[in-house]
C-alpha cells in the first residue's frame, strides 16, 4: 500500500490518517510499538496495580519510594529523558527491584505517585519520555506537523539523481567514521552522530532545516546503509552496510591508513619501562683494606700502652 523507498513511513501515515485512534510508544526494549490511544480505549483498572497502590500510604512516601523518586528526578533534571533510558539507569533499576513487583510498570507508579512532579509523554518520534513538570513541554502535534512539512519541503528540493556537495561531504564523513571504527560491536547511529567530522558536516547540511539525521540516511543513502534496532534492546540503531557500501568503506580504510592523520590512529606502543633491579654498586675506595689497617692501628696502640707502663718503673729505680 505505501509507496516503496520509504517515501512515506508507517508512523507518518498513522499520524496523518488515524489521528486520535492510535498512539506510538516504545516498549522496554526501546522499540516503537502501536497501541490504542488513551481516549479510544476503555480504561479498565488493573487489579494487580490497584492492590499494590492500596498498600502504599496516601499522605506520604515510603523510604523506598523516596529513593526511586530522587533517582528519576535526578535523571530528568537537565533535559527530558526517554522512559526506556530511565528504566536502564543503575540507580533506578536498584530502586525498582526493591519497591515494584514484577507486574507493576514504572510509568504507572510515576503517573499515580509522582505525577505532579514528573510527566510521562510521547515525543515527536513516538517515544515515551519522562519530563519534569514546569520544564519546557514537548512539541505538540501541530508543531510536529509543521516540522514534517518543512522536512518534506527540504527533501523535495534535493536532486533525485545526485548529491549536493554538502550531502556528499556528509556521506563521506559517515563512511570515514565507519572505516575508522575498530570496536567489536557494530557502530550505532548515536556513535556516528558524535563523530566530530560527521557533526560538522551535519551542521553545514542541516543549518536552517529541521531534518532528522536518521531520515536523511534512510531516504538519501538507504541503498548503502541500513539502520536496525540493536539486538540487546538498548533502544539504539545499529548501522549495517549493504553490498553496495562495502567497496566504498574498503577504499576509505585504505586511504585513511595511507594518510594516518594525527588524532585518529593510535600512537605506537611504547616499550615497557626497565624493570630490572639496579646493579649493586662497587665498594667505595676508602673501604678497600679497611680491616688490615684497623689491625695495624690496634697493634701500635698496644705497644704504646706497654711503653707507658714501663716508663714509670724506670724513673723509680
Amino acid at each position: 500500500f505505501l509507496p516503496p523507498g520509504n517515501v512515506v513511513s508507517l508512523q507518518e501515515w498513522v499520524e496523518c490518517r488515524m489521528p486520535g485512534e492510535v498512539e506510538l510508544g516504545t516498549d522496554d526494549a526501546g522499540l516503537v510499538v502501536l497501541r490504542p490511544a488513551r481516549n479510544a480505549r476503555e480504561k479498565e483498572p488493573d487489579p494487580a496495580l490497584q492492590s499494590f497502590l492500596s498498600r502504599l500510604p496516601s499522605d506520604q512516601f515510603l523510604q523506598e519510594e523516596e529513593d526511586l523518586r530522587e533517582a528519576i528526578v535526578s535523571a530528568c533534571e537537565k533535559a527530558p529523558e526517554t522512559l526506556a533510558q530511565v528504566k536502564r539507569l543503575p540507580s533506578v533499576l536498584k530502586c525498582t527491584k526493591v519497591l515494584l513487583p514484577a507486574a507493576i510498570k514504572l510509568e504507572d507508579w510515576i503517573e499515580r505517585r509522582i505525577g505532579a512532579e514528573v510527566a510521562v509523554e510521547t515525543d515527536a518520534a513516538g517515544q515515551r519520555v519522562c519530563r519534569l513538570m514546569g520544564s519546557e513541554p514537548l512539541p505538540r502535534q501541530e508543531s510536529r506537523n509543521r516540522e514534517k512539512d518543512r522536512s518534506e519541503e527540504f527533501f523535495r528540493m534535493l536532486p533525485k539523481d545526485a548529491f549536493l556537495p554538502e550531502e556528499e561531504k556528509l556521506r563521506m564523513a559517515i563512511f570515514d567514521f565507519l572505516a575508522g571504527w575498530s570496536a567489536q560491536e557494530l557502530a550505532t547511529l548515536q556513535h556516528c552522530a558524535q563523530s566530530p567530522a560527521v557533526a560538522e558536516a551535519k551542521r553545514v547540511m542541516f543549518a536552517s532545516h529541521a531534518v532528522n539525521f536518521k531520515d536523511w540516511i534512510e531516504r538519501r543513502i538507504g541503498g548503502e546503509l541500513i539502520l536496525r534496532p540493536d539486538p540487546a534492546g538498548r533502544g539504539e540503531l545499529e548501522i549495517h552496510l549493504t553490498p553496495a557500501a562495502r567497496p566504498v568503506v574498503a577504499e576509505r580504510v585504505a586511504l585513511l591508513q595511507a594518510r594516518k592523520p594525527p588524532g585518529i590512529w593510535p600512537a605506537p606502543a611504547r616499550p615497557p619501562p626497565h624493570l630490572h633491579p639496579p646493579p649493586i654498586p662497587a665498594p667505595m675506595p676508602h673501604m678497600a683494606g679497611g680491616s688490615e689497617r684497623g689491625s695495624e692501628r690496634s697493634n701500635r696502640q698496644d705497644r704504646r700502652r706497654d711503653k707507658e707502663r714501663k716508663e714509670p718503673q724506670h724513673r723509680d729505680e
Side-chain angles (χ1 to χ4, degrees):
F1 172 70
L2 296 178
N6 200 27
V7 176
V8 178
S9 67
L10 177 61
Q11 176 181 343
E12 293 172 336
W13 184 86
V14 167
E15 292 181 345
C16 292
R17 303 295 292 173
M18 302 176 62
E21 298 182 58
V22 177
E23 67 180 21
L24 296 114
T26 54
D27 58 12
D28 292 342
L31 302 178
V32 178
V33 296
L34 299 175
R35 62 171 67 92
R38 291 180 179 271
N39 56 1
R41 64 177 182 238
E42 296 182 1
K43 295 290 291 184
E44 298 181 359
D46 183 356
L49 178 61
Q50 295 298 326
S51 175
F52 170 72
L53 293 175
S54 65
R55 298 194 298 269
L56 301 178
S58 58
D59 55 349
Q60 62 181 352
F61 288 129
L62 299 176
Q63 182 59 49
E64 295 83 357
E65 288 187 292
E66 188 64 39
D67 294 340
L68 180 55
R69 171 190 165 276
E70 290 182 2
I72 295 173
V73 170
S74 298
C76 304
E77 276 183 340
K78 295 183 179 179
E81 189 62 80
T82 63
L83 180 63
Q85 182 63 32
V86 170
K87 289 181 176 180
R88 289 196 294 267
L89 292 174
S91 57
V92 175
L93 276 173
K94 179 181 177 181
C95 295
T96 53
K97 288 181 180 179
V98 173
L99 174 66
L100 302 182
I104 305 303
K105 296 181 180 180
L106 177 62
E107 52 267 40
D108 289 334
W109 180 87
I110 292 175
E111 291 177 350
R112 288 163 174 79
R113 297 295 285 178
I114 58 172
E117 295 180 274
V118 180
V120 180
E121 303 171 342
T122 303
D123 66 3
Q127 300 182 98
R128 299 282 280 170
V129 175
C130 295
R131 178 182 66 85
L132 294 183
M133 299 297 289
S135 61
E136 184 177 353
L138 298 177
R140 295 186 177 182
Q141 184 64 38
E142 294 80 4
S143 61
R144 282 187 241 164
N145 291 337
R146 287 195 296 270
E147 290 178 2
K148 288 180 181 179
D149 292 341
R150 290 196 294 267
S151 177
E152 289 301 321
E153 182 181 358
F154 168 79
F155 282 110
R156 282 195 297 268
M157 293 188 303
L158 300 178
K160 298 186 180 301
D161 54 353
F163 292 111
L164 295 176
E166 296 83 0
E167 285 188 294
E168 185 62 28
K169 183 178 180 180
L170 176 57
R171 173 176 172 268
M172 298 315 297
I174 295 172
F175 283 126
D176 284 344
F177 162 77
L178 295 174
W181 183 258
S182 58
Q184 292 184 350
E185 66 271 12
L186 291 175
T188 65
L189 185 63
Q190 183 179 4
H191 292 143
C192 183
Q194 292 174 348
S195 166
V198 174
E200 175 61 20
K202 282 176 53 186
R203 185 190 66 79
V204 175
M205 182 67 200
F206 307 135
S208 57
H209 303 280
V211 179
N212 187 280
F213 185 37
K214 171 180 173 290
D215 292 341
W216 182 86
I217 289 178
E218 292 178 337
R219 298 179 65 165
R220 296 297 287 175
I221 56 175
E224 297 175 302
L225 303 180
I226 298 176
L227 303 177
R228 294 173 181 165
D230 68 288
R234 297 186 301 258
E236 300 177 356
L237 294 173
E238 292 180 341
I239 302 176
H240 294 259
L241 300 178
T242 67
R246 293 193 181 101
V248 182
V249 174
E251 179 183 357
R252 303 308 294 180
V253 169
L255 288 175
L256 290 175
Q257 288 179 343
R259 296 173 187 170
K260 292 187 179 180
I264 295 180
W265 300 97
R270 296 182 178 179
H274 184 69
L275 300 179
H276 300 291
I280 300 175
M284 298 297 290
H286 70 274
M287 296 291 292
S291 60
E292 295 180 2
R293 288 198 295 270
S295 176
E296 214 176 296
R297 185 166 52 251
S298 177
N299 292 337
R300 286 199 301 269
Q301 290 175 351
D302 291 342
R303 288 195 297 270
R304 187 181 299 113
R305 282 194 296 269
D306 291 342
K307 183 178 179 180
E308 289 173 355
R309 291 194 198 101
K310 292 179 181 179
E311 286 180 353
Q313 295 175 3
H314 180 71
R315 287 196 297 270
D316 291 341
E317 293 176 355

